Amino acid sequence: MLTTSAYALVATDLDGTLLRPDDTVSARSRAALGLAADSGARHLIVTGRPVPGIRALLADLAYTGLVVCGQGTQLYDADAGRLLRSVALDREAADTALGKIEAEVGAVFAAVDQDGVDGVTLIEAGYRMPNPTLPAQRVGSREALWERPVIKVLVRHPELGDDALAAVARGAVGDLATVTMAGPGTVELAPRGVDKGTGLAAAAELLGIGAERTVAFGDMPNDLPMFAGSGLRVAMGNAHPELRAAADEVTLSNAEDGVAVVLERLFGTGGRGGQDSRLQFGLDQGG
């Protein structure tokens, strides 16, 4: 189906982006996504959450398309309820990476997202989930984290902030894993060379949509690779400074339905999605 906009794919992060602070998608955002769909555009969720952590949301949205999950490690077909692709993190490499980080900054607390559509999030003693609404199971030892294949590791430090911990982790881990910061209290280790950008590229190829026809929305540094593969890059008003610096424009915050604001402009009456049509939410407003 041909779109009436310059953009045929709407790629949205979830936490801090499409989701409001209470973990819901507003009526306005739903309606704006409907405008995009009516124009022939596809919605692609690109999230750090693993498949089990988004099933309820997908059902609530009546979402039946492809989903990029787990920082790009999983490509999920929501309609069929199956994984089309999954990349596991080498568990020995992950354990070694944690040891290298601890050699630099002292003890850290870790969690893992297991592989598979029914994988569980496991947390070791001392780890605090950044989003308490997501389910997790506590284990008695770090060794228990590695009992089944995992797609990524989440790391927290009792004192260091996210930016500092991510910087140390990148230097310490080297080629063992891809290090990213996905949100407050969420520094993660994923398989080397796997990120939201590779996940977006795989999904877009299946959909037959080029990067230049993709508009991407995000809020954290883990969205930078997704921005690199998109024609229009939109940072939320609550976005991390690194993402704001890489954006073509900055919209309102997730609490203010910033995604909807842009989609209404691009796909609403008279909207043609051209990059000349950007309004006051651009880089001149602090982006």
Side-chain angles (χ1 to χ4, degrees):
M1 180 179 182
L2 294 177
T3 67
T4 57
S5 166
Y7 301 103
L9 186 63
V10 177
T12 65
D13 173 46
L14 287 180
D15 297 283
T17 301
L18 183 62
L19 295 181
R20 285 190 153 212
D22 63 358
D23 257 15
T24 64
V25 179
S26 72
R28 182 179 180 183
S29 291
R30 292 169 188 261
L33 288 168
L35 280 176
D38 289 344
S39 296
R42 304 288 294 268
H43 179 207
L44 177 69
I45 291 174
V46 184
T47 178
R49 296 190 187 196
V51 170
I54 61 165
R55 277 212 198 91
L57 175 64
L58 297 179
D60 180 59
L61 290 173
Y63 185 103
T64 57
L66 300 178
V67 192
V68 176
C69 300
Q71 303 298 6
T73 60
Q74 297 176 317
L75 183 58
Y76 180 65
D77 182 337
D79 187 35
R82 65 186 181 93
L83 282 170
L84 301 182
R85 189 188 74 170
S86 183
V87 183
L89 175 62
D90 183 274
R91 285 169 280 176
E92 183 176 345
D95 193 42
T96 299
L98 286 178
K100 287 181 175 292
I101 295 171
E102 290 184 319
E104 297 290 334
V105 298
V108 298
F109 305 123
V112 299
D113 288 330
Q114 292 180 335
D115 195 9
V117 295
D118 296 313
V120 175
T121 298
L122 302 178
I123 59 177
E124 65 179 4
Y127 187 89
R128 180 167 47 87
M129 288 290 288
N131 187 334
T133 67
L134 296 179
Q137 295 181 11
R138 193 169 299 279
V139 296
S141 66
R142 180 163 294 175
E143 289 72 22
L145 298 176
W146 317 123
E147 290 180 355
R148 285 183 52 190
V150 303
I151 53 171
K152 58 189 176 76
V153 179
L154 301 85
V155 187
R156 301 194 74 161
H157 190 277
E159 298 175 359
L160 284 179
D162 301 323
D163 288 295
L165 179 57
V168 169
R170 289 188 186 100
V173 167
D175 292 337
L176 291 171
T178 295
V179 178
T180 190
M181 181 168 48
T186 314
V187 174
E188 300 186 355
L189 312 180
R192 186 68 180 171
V194 176
D195 53 37
K196 284 191 175 185
T198 61
L200 170 60
E205 182 179 6
L206 285 178
L207 296 171
I209 300 173
E212 73 283 356
R213 302 202 68 199
T214 299
V215 52
F217 296 84
D219 72 310
M220 294 300 290
N222 66 319
D223 295 313
L224 285 168
M226 177 172 67
F227 271 23
S230 301
L232 178 61
R233 300 161 285 271
V234 183
M236 306 303 294
N238 49 290
H240 188 280
E242 284 186 37
L243 202 74
R244 292 171 69 95
D248 295 309
E249 63 176 285
V250 179
T251 185
L252 300 181
S253 72
N254 64 318
E256 301 168 293
D257 296 330
V259 170
V261 168
V262 175
L263 294 183
E264 288 163 358
R265 187 186 85 226
L266 296 179
F267 298 100
T269 303
R272 288 295 177 267
Q275 299 203 9
D276 295 341
S277 65
R278 296 171 193 158
L279 300 183
Q280 67 267 28
F281 306 108
L283 296 176
D284 58 329
Q285 296 297 310

